Every structure is written in structure tokens, then in C-alpha cells.
Amino acid sequence: MVLNANNELKKFKTIEDNAADKITSFAGTMNFVYLHFIWFGVWVLLNLGIIGAGVKFDNFPFGLLTLIVSLEAIFLSTFVMISQNRQSNAAEIRSELDYQTDVKAEKEIDIIMETLKRVAEKDGIKVDDLFDKLEDVRKLPGVKK
């Protein structure tokens, strides 16, 4: 049975992981930018007294807005790091599964090649030079046997 790494990883996602992914996903959209553009615009208009002096609650240089935006940046960067850490762990698991698949495939190919060699020898076909070339390929740097 072949496991799907993505399906297996979903089984281990916590509520916090899902929340961090959703927040990170939304923060990376233009809707997030538009929402902040509107929010900052309304905030500045209200606190400059353009709409009315009675609604001012955060005088220039907008210390409360600065505090809120700073806290938002702290939390957003934390959510991004949580998502990146989880994605990094998932990539490591996928990489390990890829490696295991490659090792298994290499063993199977070796068996197939040995079988082909035996069949060729049985039928009197000379294949030694072809297998010598295969051995030369395996001796290249970075190619493991």
C-alpha cells in the first residue's frame, strides 16, 4: 500500500496549525491589503477630525494605531513562522518518502537488469559490453550503488 504524504500529514494537523495556516493564507492576499488600506484610511480620517472633531480618539501621530499595528505584525510573523515550520517538517517527511521510493526502485531495477542479463545469456546474446557501460555510469560522482 502506498501512502500519500499529504493525507498522512493532514491527520496530525492541530486546530492551531489550521488556524495559523488560514491566517497566513489570508495575510498573503490582496484582500488583506485592501482591508488594511480601508482601516488605516478611516482611522486617519477619523483622528484628523475630518469627519468631526467629536470622534477623535487617537491624536496625531496615532500612537494607538502604531501599537495595534505593531502587535499585529508580531502575531502575523509568529503565524507565518508556525506555518513555515510545519511546511518544513512536511517537506522533510516527503523527502524521506522520496528517498525510500528511490531506493526501492533501484533494487527493483537491479533485479530486472539481472533477469534480463540471464535471459540474454540463455539466448546466446552477448550483453557484457552493455552491462560494463552501466557499471561505468554507476561509478560517476554522486551516483550510489
Side-chain angles (χ1 to χ4, degrees):
M1 181 170 95
V2 177
L3 296 177
N4 181 320
N6 293 326
N7 291 338
E8 293 302 312
L9 291 167
K10 284 179 186 175
K11 293 178 184 177
F12 298 105
K13 279 181 78 171
T14 64
I15 294 170
E16 292 87 358
D17 290 335
N18 286 327
D21 287 346
K22 287 179 182 175
I23 291 168
T24 301
S25 178
F26 176 65
T29 65
M30 285 306 294
N31 286 337
F32 183 80
V33 174
Y34 299 145
L35 176 70
H36 281 75
F37 183 78
I38 292 167
W39 173 29
F40 296 151
V42 169
W43 190 287
V44 169
L45 291 175
L46 282 173
N47 290 294
L48 287 178
I50 293 175
I51 296 176
V55 293
K56 290 171 94 175
F57 58 89
D58 185 23
N59 292 324
F60 185 82
F62 314 120
L64 180 59
L65 178 63
T66 302
L67 173 69
I68 292 170
V69 171
S70 297
L71 289 172
E72 180 188 36
I74 291 168
F75 282 107
L76 282 177
S77 64
T78 303
F79 289 130
V80 168
M81 287 188 290
I82 291 168
S83 291
Q84 285 178 338
N85 287 340
R86 195 185 49 70
Q87 290 172 359
S88 174
N89 291 339
E92 287 179 28
I93 291 170
R94 285 188 197 100
S95 176
E96 179 61 28
L97 288 174
D98 285 346
Y99 174 75
Q100 291 174 7
T101 302
D102 290 346
V103 168
K104 182 180 177 187
E106 185 176 355
K107 288 178 183 177
E108 291 172 350
I109 290 169
D110 285 343
I111 292 168
I112 292 169
M113 294 302 292
E114 185 62 34
T115 304
L116 283 174
K117 185 176 181 180
R118 289 179 184 173
V119 169
E121 288 173 352
K122 182 180 177 190
D123 289 343
I125 301 170
K126 188 167 176 92
V127 291
D128 289 337
D129 57 335
L130 294 174
F131 281 89
D132 289 341
K133 288 181 183 179
L134 180 60
E135 287 301 318
D136 290 343
V137 169
R138 289 186 173 175
K139 291 177 186 174
L140 292 174
V143 178
K144 294 181 181 177
K145 183 173 180 180

